[in-house]
Amino acid sequence: MPRLRKKRRRREVNRVPRWDAALPEYDRNTVPDGLVTRRQLREMGLSPGSNCGPVAILRCKLCATRPQWSCTHPTRGFLLRVDFAKPKRVPTLAQERALDQAMAARQTCGECGRRFYICLSKKLGCCLECFDGTPVDPSSCMTAPAPATHRLAA
C-alpha cells in the first residue's frame, strides 16, 4: 500500500513595516558607538547587565536589500549597551575543582584508569585500547600528574 504524502504548509511570512518595529534597527556598519553584540561584549571581557535587555537590532544581510521591512530572521543580532555591561565573573577555586572533577569522570577510562585529553565515548565506556586493542597515541593521555599545589586540568 502506498504511503500517503503529507501536504506541506507554506510558511507564513511575518512582515512588519520597519516603522512599526518594537526596537530600532541598524544595518551593518551603521551601528552607533556604545552598542555591541554579545559576541563583541565577550571579546571585551564583559557580560550583559542583569536587567538590561537588547536595545536595538542588527539587521541580517538579506534585510539590507529591503529597507522598508523589519528584520524577523533568526540571523539578526541583538545590540546591547556597553555602559550597562559588567565584568565577567571569575570562577572560584571550588567551582573550578568541581568542573575538573566532572571532566575527569568523562575523560577517565573505566578499565585502565588512564585520563585522556578528550572525552571518552559513553557508548563504549572505556578507551579504544581497552575496547578492541587499538593502540592509543601516548600524546593523547595525561601521563604525568599535575603539580601538588594545583591539580586542575584547566
Side-chain angles (χ1 to χ4, degrees), residues 36-51:
V36 294
T37 61
R38 288 181 67 92
R39 190 171 289 188
Q40 290 169 331
L41 273 180
R42 187 174 56 227
E43 288 173 0
M44 290 187 237
L46 301 171
S47 65
S50 59
N51 55 0

Side-chain angles (χ1 to χ4, degrees), residues 29-75:
N29 299 327
T30 62
V31 178
D33 293 336
L35 296 181
V36 294
T37 61
R38 288 181 67 92
R39 190 171 289 188
Q40 290 169 331
L41 273 180
R42 187 174 56 227
E43 288 173 0
M44 290 187 237
L46 301 171
S47 65
S50 59
N51 55 0
C52 177
V55 295
I57 293 176
L58 180 64
R59 293 166 52 98
C60 65
K61 291 180 182 178
L62 179 65
C63 289
T65 61
R66 293 177 261 179
Q68 72 274 16
W69 295 112
S70 176
C71 181
T72 57
H73 295 104
T75 56

Side-chain angles (χ1 to χ4, degrees), residues 84-102:
F84 287 162
K86 296 180 180 177
K88 277 188 176 181
R89 294 186 315 159
V90 178
T92 63
L93 192 59
Q95 288 172 331
E96 285 187 18
R97 186 175 295 118
L99 287 173
D100 186 62
Q101 287 174 352

Side-chain angles (χ1 to χ4, degrees), residues 3 19 24 30 38 67-68 71 76 91 97 109 112 118-119 128-129 132 140-141 148:
R3 230 169 62 185
W19 51 86
T30 62
R38 288 181 67 92
Q68 72 274 16
C71 181
R76 70 179 184 254
R97 186 175 295 118
C109 176
C112 65
I118 58 167
C119 294
L128 282 176
E129 190 168 347
D132 63 358
S140 65
C141 300

Side-chain angles (χ1 to χ4, degrees), residues 14 45 59 67 126:
N14 291 341
R59 293 166 52 98
C126 58

Side-chain angles (χ1 to χ4, degrees), residues 79-140:
L79 297 171
L80 305 162
R81 290 182 53 176
V82 176
D83 52 349
F84 287 162
K86 296 180 180 177
K88 277 188 176 181
R89 294 186 315 159
V90 178
T92 63
L93 192 59
Q95 288 172 331
E96 285 187 18
R97 186 175 295 118
L99 287 173
D100 186 62
Q101 287 174 352
M103 287 304 293
R106 295 176 67 193
Q107 294 172 341
T108 305
C109 176
E111 295 185 18
C112 65
R114 287 185 291 179
R115 185 169 175 185
F116 293 85
Y117 288 110
I118 58 167
C119 294
L120 299 176
S121 171
K122 284 186 190 178
K123 189 175 182 180
L124 299 179
C126 58
C127 63
L128 282 176
E129 190 168 347
C130 295
F131 181 71
D132 63 358
T134 306
V136 177
D137 183 19
S139 65
S140 65

